[in-house]
Structures are given as C-alpha cells and as structure tokens.
Amino acid sequence: MLALSLDMGGSHIGCAVVRDRAILASSSLASEGAGSLESLLPGIEQELRRLLAESHANTAECEGLAMGLPSVVDVRTGRIHSNFKKYEDAATLELSGWCRATFGVPLRMENDARMALLGERYAGAAQGFDNVVMITLGTGIGGVAMILGRLLRGAHAQAACLGGHLPVNFHGRPCVCGNIGCAEAEAGGWSLPGIAREWPGFAHSALARAPQIDFRTLFAAAADGDRVAVEVRQRCLEVWAANAVTLVNAYDPEIVVMGGGVMSSAAVIIPFVQDHVTQHAWGAWGKPQVRAAALGNRAALLGAVPLLQEVL
Ligand SMILES: [Zn+2]
C-alpha cells in the first residue's frame, strides 16, 4: 500500500510517503509557534506533494493519509476529543474534506502514540507480537496498549493512551492533567527541570550550569558521576519502571517497548526496567520482555499503513 503519513508533533511535523514498511521520502516541518493547524495546511500540502514527486510514486496509487496527533482522537468517527493545548483548532476543522479535496484520498486520524505502537509492531521492535504495551518518554509520557492484535481504544477513544497519567505517587507533584503524582509529573520531560532544581545540592550540580535541563543533559551529567544527576536519574528510572509494571498489570502484554529520544541511553534504561518488571509485575505465565523501540521518530510515520488497513 502507498500512503501519506503525518506525525503532528508539538514542535515539528513529520511528513512522509510510505509504501508498506518503507519510507520512500520524508521530511520535517517546523510547527512551533504556529497559531493554528489551519494555517499549517497549505505548507503540509506543498510538502506532501514535493515528497510524492521525490519518491517517484504514482500518486494515483495512494490509498490514504494517516495523521498522528498529540491528542485524544477517535479514529472511528474522525473526532478529536482533546488536544492537550496543541493544534487547538484541529477539532473544528473539516480535515477529512480537506484531505479528500486536496489528495483525493481518505484520512484517518489517530493518537500519535497509538500510531507509533502500530509502526513498531509493523516494522520495528514489536514485530510478531499481538500483545504490546508501548511507553514513549518525551516531554510527556505516552503509554498505549494492544491486546490480541487490536489497539485498545475504549468508549471515548482514551483507553490506554493516558499511560503517563497513571499515578506513581499519591502525595506527588501536580500534573498538567489535573491529577496528582502522574508518572509524567514525576519523571517527564516537562517536569524534569523543576524536580532537578528542587533536589538537595542542585546549586553545586553540573545541571545548574546546563543551558537547559533535559534527559540528554541529565544522563550525560550522571554518566560523568555528578551526584545530583545520578540521584535524579535513579528517581526517573524508578518512576518509569513503576509505570511499566502498572501497564503490564493492566494490559497483560508479551512485550513492553520503550521509545523516545532518551532511549539513546537504552543501555541504562532497558536493563533497569526489565529487572523491575521481572521482579514486581504479576505474571504466572512468565514476564514480558522490555525492549527499546527500533524506529525512533519514524515509528508513527510507519504506523500509517496498518492504521489505514485496519478494519474498524
Ligand atoms: Zn497527569
């Protein structure tokens, strides 16, 4: 199947022409500071047309456009239920009509983390598995699940895609979602700077001199032996591991796939989470494998074909 694929990230939009498990052409458009999705549509159209030309694909063969959004989206109705303050006008736009009029193909929209799971199962770390949990560590924490080969969606399309909002600490930090002590409030990219700054000894840490505190600087400083960085990293690992056990107990997967930019430190993260899951998750049958995602930021783009082929 030939398809168009869009991954609507908070700061950029991944654009691709895909044929089955191959990305024929791809690029990234900056979206930071854009007032609305509507204002971005002409640029998206232009970019997808350029990629179609670059890939020498026969445009008439194209069977659909798959769009991953950082939102609660119901692929069955094409409705966007919540946009987490990104692309706030998306729910009011007639995107299916735009897609049909512009490219002559149907549009399917899905939560971006669900699309990434589809991609990893189709072409990456979860190939061959029908029962999958995927955790994406980024600004927030994405957690999604597939059971018996079907993405879990639920009555309001929010089932299993709020994995980062499962609490790990009832007395913890307030979360952007309104809950308390969510995994991403305790160890997400957005909460990390605040956690680090409150850590005893922060003023003398290498983190205090870093231009910005993100997982890259945290893991680099920890690898250099910076005490505060080592302790904050340990806390993050424990939060992610606790979140993984919760998701395993909830969804009964054979495999847990962990993705996100921080997985450049997979050699530290995966063994820690695997040990914790093996020790603490329920599983009379055995324990799920914990693996690093294989596709990086191509995962959601490669979820296009399985999403478009899914019988809803
Ligand atoms: Zn939350």
Side-chain angles (χ1 to χ4, degrees):
M1 177 189 275
L2 183 73
L4 303 171
S5 189
L6 291 170
D7 181 9
M8 309 293 292
S11 60
H12 69 279
I13 300 168
C15 307
V17 176
V18 301
R19 188 187 298 282
D20 300 327
R21 292 175 176 82
I23 292 179
L24 303 183
S26 66
S27 64
S28 179
L29 287 179
S31 63
E32 193 114 55
S36 65
L37 177 56
E38 189 172 20
S39 69
L40 292 167
L41 290 179
I44 290 171
E45 176 190 346
Q46 188 179 26
E47 192 61 12
L48 289 176
R49 289 198 189 287
R50 189 185 71 73
L51 293 173
L52 277 165
E54 183 185 318
S55 63
H56 303 296
N58 181 352
T59 307
E61 280 179 39
C62 186
E63 292 189 52
L65 192 163
M67 181 187 289
L69 288 150
S71 318
V72 176
V73 188
D74 195 332
V75 69
R76 300 161 294 195
T77 61
R79 285 194 59 212
I80 299 168
H81 291 285
S82 167
N83 51 37
F84 305 133
K85 298 190 168 53
K86 290 168 199 155
Y87 308 116
E88 290 196 58
D89 63 331
T92 66
L93 299 176
E94 227 294 68
L95 293 169
S96 286
W98 167 80
C99 185
R100 183 66 76 178
T102 307
F103 296 107
V105 296
L107 170 72
R108 278 196 176 175
M109 295 187 291
E110 181 53 284
N111 170 263
D112 52 1
R114 286 204 189 104
M115 263 185 78
L117 187 155
L118 285 177
E120 288 289 343
R121 186 202 182 215
Y122 186 55
Q127 283 186 82
F129 293 94
D130 286 341
N131 301 283
V132 184
V133 156
M134 183 160 176
I135 300 169
T136 306
L137 303 170
T139 307
I141 296 179
V144 289
M146 169 176 279
I147 295 180
L148 301 177
R150 301 282 296 178
L151 282 173
L152 208 57
R153 292 193 172 100
H156 311 100
Q158 70 183 45
C161 73
L162 299 171
H165 299 282
L166 298 175
V168 293
N169 181 2
F170 182 74
H171 296 292
R173 306 171 71 87
C175 186
V176 289
C177 73
N179 201 354
I180 299 161
C182 295
E184 70 170 59
E186 299 293 331
W190 64 262
S191 57
L192 178 65
I195 292 164
R197 286 193 191 100
E198 290 172 16
W199 206 267
F202 172 77
H204 304 292
S205 162
L207 296 177
R209 299 185 294 280
Q212 63 176 26
I213 299 170
D214 54 21
F215 291 127
R216 186 178 298 276
T217 51
L218 176 71
F219 275 71
D224 288 341
D226 182 88
R227 179 187 64 81
V228 170
V230 167
E231 290 173 6
V232 173
R233 180 185 68 176
Q234 179 66 18
R235 181 186 156 77
C236 289
L237 290 168
E238 288 172 359
V239 168
W240 299 335
N243 186 233
V245 169
T246 302
L247 293 168
V248 168
N249 288 350
Y251 303 124
D252 190 17
E254 304 158 275
I255 183 169
V256 176
V257 177
M258 298 187 71
V262 69
M263 295 314 290
S264 57
S265 299
V268 176
I269 299 167
I270 295 296
F272 186 93
V273 177
Q274 179 72 70
D275 283 353
H276 196 84
V277 165
T278 301
Q279 279 183 47
H280 300 291
W282 182 265
W285 63 277
K287 299 299 168 85
Q289 293 178 45
V290 180
R291 279 191 196 171
L295 301 175
N297 57 15
R298 296 177 301 140
L301 293 172
L302 284 168
V305 167
L307 182 68
L308 291 165
Q309 286 179 332
E310 189 177 346
V311 179
L312 298 173

